[in-house]
Amino acid sequence: MQPVRWGILSTAKIGRVKVVPGMMKSPLCDVVAVASRDAQSARGMAEELGIAKAYGSYEALLADPEIEAIYNPLPNHLHVPMTLAAAAAGKHVLCEKPIAITADEAEQLKRAASQVLIAEAFMVRHHPQWHRARDVIRSGDIGELRSIQIIFSYFNADPGNIRNKADIGGGGLLDIGCYAVVAGRYFFDAEPLRVVTLMDRDPTFGVDRTTSALMDFGAGRQLAFTVSTQSVPYQRVQILGTKGRIEIEIPFNAPPDVPTRIFVDDGSMHGNRSARGIDFPVVDQYRLQGEAFSRVIRGAAPLDYGLEDAILNMRILDALRRSETTAAWERV
Ligand SMILES: NC(=O)c1ccc[n+]([C@@H]2O[C@H](COP(=O)([O-])OP(=O)(O)OC[C@H]3O[C@@H](n4cnc5c(N)ncnc54)[C@H](OP(=O)(O)O)[C@@H]3O)[C@@H](O)[C@H]2O)c1
């Protein structure tokens, strides 16, 4: 397979530190250019990572005929506008999560998605630990699924950080609540019917800093999550079945340089004593994500999660936000 020629839209930290280095490990991804609003920043990132071309504007990158695919890690309010601009330039787009601010905004991508490939960058769905946990569920080993509990938190009170700016799509729900929603849909293999939310907003920033929610997946299946942008860093997924339990130790930010593990527990002893660990060798989920999308571009694999999936996710995030206002269950 010929490697796909990628262009990187901005010097965003996630791209510079995680996603682009991950992609550059792969023979399927050729990262040929990076753009920034500031030419010097673009050159700095190009030099740091060994990228051949640096552009001082996003438009110049989109006009480069050599580039086939764009990675878009701009702040959330620019996901749809710049994905549309990239698509208009004939480029496929891997766009960071959440794909938009609202489902209606994400719908604007529909026509473009019939001309180029557009996908939302949920790298977690490429990690073998997620695949294995789902295999264990499907095997019936933990019985019927009843409940999923998710915590995802970090501490970031920097007023300059995009997560703390309400007008550009900040807040915990959009930043990390979206992972809880994806996890529920992935492990239950179903869509939630209704949701209810409790949000605590930062009094200065106005963004939600701690959000908890209950999601009803029907047939007695419940998901409860807490995400927080101003709590001690922690993350865990617990999946409870009638006969067993699965725990994913580092479910979202699985490191690219140390092994990860999940536990499968038949519950016969308390305190994790009956939990069996399953280890996963070192793997870079961002590399896997870049490779998967490159294969789809080359027609070597189907697009497992395209725009429709991203819009469904946004509809759930919309319902979670509506519930803050109505203080009631909201249908999705
Ligand atoms: N998948 C993951 O693991 C993961 C992890 C973290 C974040 N993310 C997502 O990635 C995106 C970027 O997050 P980040 O933490 O990397 O952000 P960041 O470091 O703040 O980068 C955002 C970049 O966007 C550009 N930009 C354009 N207009 C801007 C504006 N009005 N304000 C601020 N920046 C602007 C800037 O690049 P230039 O100055 O170079 O133009 C900036 O460096 C978000 O959508 C986030 O949800 C995903």
Side-chain angles (χ1 to χ4, degrees):
M1 193 186 118
Q2 281 290 328
V4 169
R5 296 181 303 278
W6 286 83
I8 310 302
L9 217 46
S10 88
T11 58
K13 183 174 175 200
I14 184 60
R16 186 169 45 78
V17 176
K18 299 269 181 68
V19 180
V20 178
M23 291 168 76
M24 291 180 84
K25 290 177 197 164
S26 169
L28 307 188
C29 304
D30 187 8
V31 178
V32 296
V34 56
S36 171
R37 295 166 299 175
D38 173 58
Q40 206 178 331
S41 301
R43 277 197 299 275
M45 178 161 155
E47 272 165 33
E48 181 186 333
L49 298 183
I51 299 170
K53 294 190 247 186
Y55 289 112
S57 79
Y58 303 148
E59 290 69 25
L61 178 119
L62 296 185
D64 181 340
E66 194 193 0
I67 293 167
E68 302 174 272
I70 297 292
Y71 166 60
N72 177 358
L74 291 166
N76 297 340
H77 73 305
L78 293 176
H79 286 182
V80 167
M82 291 312 293
T83 295
L84 283 174
K91 320 288 190 199
H92 307 291
V93 186
L94 177 65
C95 181
E96 265 307 339
K97 40 55 62 174
I99 198 151
I101 308 268
T102 65
D104 283 352
E105 193 197 13
E107 296 261 355
Q108 293 174 24
L109 295 170
K110 271 186 166 166
R111 203 154 58 91
S114 66
Q115 281 144 13
V116 296
L117 294 159
I118 296 177
E120 191 174 25
F122 277 115
M123 69 297 179
V124 290
R125 290 189 294 213
H126 298 279
H127 199 292
Q129 65 178 358
W130 274 49
H131 302 165
R132 186 64 174 274
R134 190 170 61 176
D135 289 347
V136 173
I137 292 166
R138 287 178 174 167
S139 75
D141 280 359
I142 66 164
E144 279 176 47
L145 284 202
R146 294 288 199 235
S147 164
I148 299 179
Q149 306 243 326
I150 296 175
I151 296 177
F152 192 175
S153 57
Y154 57 78
F155 196 98
N156 183 334
D158 171 6
N161 192 276
I162 57 169
R163 289 157 190 78
N164 293 323
K165 295 185 177 178
D167 57 337
I168 63 171
L173 180 68
L174 285 183
D175 192 46
I176 46 180
C178 60
Y179 286 106
V181 171
V182 159
R185 297 174 60 219
Y186 185 89
F187 294 118
F188 280 135
D189 199 11
E191 298 298 326
L193 307 174
R194 55 181 189 145
V195 300
V196 66
T197 315
L198 178 65
M199 282 187 177
D200 174 50
R201 288 185 177 270
D202 183 284
T204 309
F205 306 142
V207 299
D208 64 298
R209 62 180 173 189
T210 302
T211 291
S212 300
L214 271 179
M215 301 171 63
D216 177 3
F217 279 79
R221 294 171 299 182
Q222 305 178 359
L223 183 148
F225 75 77
T226 293
V227 295
S228 180
T229 62
Q230 291 184 28
S231 295
V232 62
Y234 186 70
Q235 52 188 264
R236 198 61 55 109
V237 169
Q238 292 278 2
I239 302 169
L240 297 189
T242 48
K243 296 192 302 186
R245 171 180 74 87
I246 300 171
E247 180 174 343
I248 309 179
E249 205 173 42
I250 313 178
F252 307 114
N253 297 123
D257 51 357
V258 276
T260 53
R261 63 190 169 165
I262 66 173
F263 296 98
V264 182
D265 185 3
D266 66 10
S268 54
M269 287 183 276
H270 284 309
N272 251 13
R273 283 192 300 145
S274 50
R276 173 174 61 91
I278 302 174
D279 295 320
F280 298 87
V282 169
V283 69
D284 186 328
Q285 57 187 346
Y286 297 104
R287 170 184 176 161
L288 297 178
Q289 169 179 266
E291 289 184 334
F293 197 61
S294 297
R295 278 198 197 90
V296 177
I297 290 171
R298 287 282 175 266
L303 182 60
D304 287 337
Y305 302 100
L307 182 63
E308 288 304 324
D309 177 81
I311 292 173
L312 281 173
N313 228 56
M314 290 309 309
R315 293 242 166 269
I316 300 161
L317 292 169
D318 283 358
L320 286 160
R321 257 182 317 207
R322 274 202 311 278
S323 170
E324 185 204 13
T325 314
T326 61
W329 284 94
E330 287 292 326
R331 298 238 146 240
V332 174

